[in-house]
């Protein structure tokens, strides 16, 4: 249950030497699933769980102080990832009967904004679910997995102009 996280350079996708953060202020049994950093507020958002069933967003300032804990609600299935930008956090999830890209939106104050679903006529309509959602250079990148007649990975992007 290491609470150490490496920093990644978003332009090169390389690990930044000597930029490891350790989040020991989290509850002892917390397993970190994902971490986001807001450069404007100098705040970390950490998605974690103590039991793999109940997930929380932990907000930590640059002095390694826990500011707030928000329980992640409104999903049914499996939490996949946390990503976002300096305005919003996206918690991707999948589950039985969810054949689209599904995610919860929070702000950096821990406020729930909405439960969002992205569907398209080019996406499979069955045997498909969310694996990840991320932002890269102004685009939202959505990753889905299909099986059965639609087997394989699917990558979609939304340009955030």
């Amino acid at each position: 249950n290491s609470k150490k996280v490496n920093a990644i350079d978003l332009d090169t996708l390389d690990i930044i030497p000597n930029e490891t953060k350790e989040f020991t202020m989290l509850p002892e049994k917390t397993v970190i699933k994902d971490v986001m950093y807001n450069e404007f507020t100098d705040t970390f958002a950490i998605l974690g769980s103590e039991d793999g069933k109940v997930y929380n967003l932990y907000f930590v300032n640059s002095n390694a102080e826990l500011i707030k804990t928000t329980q992640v609600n409104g999903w049914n299935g499996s939490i996949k990832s946390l990503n976002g930008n300096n305005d919003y956090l996206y918690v991707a999830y999948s589950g039985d009967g969810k054949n689209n890209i599904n995610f919860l939106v929070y702000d950096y104050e821990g406020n729930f904004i909405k439960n969002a679903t992205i569907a398209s006529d080019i996406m499979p309509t069955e045997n498909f679910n969310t694996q990840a959602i991320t932002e890269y250079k102004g685009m939202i990148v959505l990753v889905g997995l299909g099986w059965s007649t639609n087997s394989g990975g699917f990558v979609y992007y939304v340009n955030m102009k």
Side-chain angles (χ1 to χ4, degrees):
N1 286 347
S2 171
K3 293 186 178 52
K4 291 183 181 179
V5 176
N6 292 316
I8 304 289
D9 183 305
L10 291 178
D11 291 321
T12 65
L13 301 181
D14 292 329
I15 293 176
I16 301 171
N18 303 315
E19 287 292 324
T20 299
K21 300 289 182 192
E22 192 163 8
F23 297 102
T24 57
M25 76 296 298
L26 299 178
E28 182 180 345
K29 294 182 181 180
T30 300
V31 174
I32 296 173
K33 187 149 185 95
D34 264 322
V35 177
M36 285 296 302
Y37 174 69
N38 184 316
E39 63 186 324
F40 295 113
T41 62
D42 201 18
T43 303
F44 292 92
I46 302 161
L47 177 64
S49 177
E50 294 184 61
D51 62 5
K53 297 175 186 170
V54 176
Y55 282 85
N56 291 308
L57 286 171
Y58 301 98
F59 297 91
V60 176
N61 67 21
S62 60
N63 296 322
E65 298 168 327
L66 182 62
I67 303 167
K68 184 174 185 176
T69 301
T70 299
Q71 186 172 342
V72 177
N73 292 312
W75 59 280
N76 182 14
S78 175
I79 294 288
K80 296 296 185 179
S81 64
L82 170 69
N83 215 296
N85 54 34
N86 285 318
D87 296 315
Y88 298 106
L89 297 163
Y90 310 117
V91 179
Y93 69 96
S94 66
D96 293 340
K98 300 199 181 325
N99 296 313
N100 302 304
I101 304 290
N102 303 286
F103 56 98
L104 306 167
V105 181
Y106 287 85
D107 64 18
Y108 273 88
E109 300 293 318
N111 298 311
F112 174 76
I113 305 299
K114 69 184 293 183
N115 189 337
T117 298
I118 296 178
S120 166
D121 57 0
I122 61 172
M123 287 183 181
T125 57
E126 58 184 33
N127 300 325
F128 177 84
N129 66 31
T130 307
Q131 295 298 303
I133 179 171
T134 190
E135 182 180 11
Y136 183 69
K137 294 187 177 185
M139 291 185 302
I140 298 292
V141 179
L142 310 163
V143 180
L145 175 67
W147 60 95
S148 187
T149 57
N150 301 311
S151 60
F154 295 84
V155 178
Y156 304 93
Y157 74 90
V158 178
N159 198 340
M160 300 290 288
K161 288 186 178 180

